[in-house]
Amino acid sequence: MLKSPYHGGHLEVIVGPMFSGKSEELIRRLNRAVIARQRVAVFKPALDNRYHASQVASHAGRTIEAVAVQGVAAIGAHLAGEGTLLSAPGHLLPEVVGIDEAQFFGPDLGPLALGLAEAGVRVILAGLDLDFRAEPFGCVPDLLARAESVEKLTAICTVCGAPATRSQRLIGGQPARYDDPVVLVGAQETYEARCRVHHIVRR
Ligand code: ADP
């Protein structure tokens, strides 16, 4: 059975604003690999420095088992069999590696993803292409350039219903300022999908 149109390993990237269905699409592709009885490993960023079993979840409620890791080095260590969850004897590299929230991993994600692809792994990354200011987000633009396959999804603008390509950050119900810190302690912060016209960044 033809597993994918690519010969050997490759990199697939799924991007778009919040609520565009990136996690849904990642879960869909990974579930199909599970049905095909391929070895699948899924990672997402953790808020603490331990490995722990977790889930990638879409806003619509679909989930897949995942390992929460603090950084790229922990993904590498885990795949090398040093993790607490996959360290079975005779451990093999997975055939498919999925990573959600790719924008939160540092610049080392590129070399890891490309190294896995070189080693024959199908790597599927999902993440935000743009930050709340609508500027390219971290390591993701580089990954988009290097990927074999890119899917750019849109959400629905919460103001007008048009396709939304941006994530509106709201603090206390008001559009965030350009210079607002990425982490605001104690503030009531929410995000909405918006089109270009209705995306506001206060300067
Ligand atoms: P992402 O990973 O891109 O944030 P998810 O896969 O978690 O997206 O969630 C997508 C789901 O979010 C949609 O299928 C839909 O049920 C829901 N949703 C809520 N708000 C919106 C919106 N403004 N536009 C599109 N989908 C939305």
Side-chain angles (χ1 to χ4, degrees):
M1 186 189 72
L2 190 64
K3 289 176 185 167
S4 84
Y6 301 98
H7 184 81
H10 65 273
L11 176 60
E12 301 170 27
V13 180
I14 304 162
V15 293
M18 292 179 73
F19 304 104
S20 63
K22 300 182 297 299
S23 300
E24 244 167 40
E25 178 60 19
L26 178 67
I27 293 167
R28 189 186 74 82
R29 293 187 196 183
L30 293 170
N31 268 333
R32 288 174 59 89
V34 170
I35 290 166
R37 299 207 180 92
Q38 295 171 352
R39 293 186 304 280
V40 175
V42 189
F43 299 94
K44 62 180 251 184
L47 297 176
D48 56 41
N49 61 2
R50 292 169 304 116
Y51 291 121
H52 57 91
S54 183
Q55 290 179 327
V56 165
S58 82
H59 287 105
R62 286 193 74 190
T63 61
I64 191 165
E65 300 308 309
V67 180
V69 291
Q70 201 189 26
V72 174
I75 297 176
H78 198 89
L79 292 174
E82 295 162 22
T84 52
L85 298 171
L86 278 182
S87 57
H91 173 68
L92 291 168
L93 210 53
E95 291 157 289
V96 182
V97 170
I99 302 177
D100 201 14
E101 307 281 12
Q103 75 279 357
F104 290 136
F105 290 98
D108 295 342
L109 183 60
L112 176 102
L114 295 166
L116 287 171
E118 288 288 324
V121 177
R122 176 186 179 197
V123 182
I124 315 174
L125 306 180
L128 294 168
D129 46 354
L130 301 174
D131 64 16
F132 75 90
R133 305 176 181 103
E135 291 180 350
F137 206 143
C139 61
V140 175
D142 186 71
L143 291 163
L144 286 171
R146 296 180 193 276
E148 272 84 357
S149 144
V150 170
E151 182 146 23
K152 192 151 175 161
L153 300 171
T154 56
I156 301 299
C157 175
T158 53
V159 177
C160 70
T165 53
R166 297 166 174 219
S167 305
Q168 177 69 54
R169 185 183 188 200
L170 298 166
I171 298 172
Q174 293 301 311
R177 291 180 187 279
Y178 185 92
D179 292 327
D180 277 335
V182 174
V183 178
L184 266 182
V185 178
Q188 179 78 36
E189 183 177 59
T190 53
Y191 288 87
E192 288 180 357
R194 298 277 181 97
C195 67
R196 184 184 287 273
V197 172
H198 293 115
H199 181 255
I200 300 163
V201 183
R202 292 194 293 155
R203 298 252 172 192

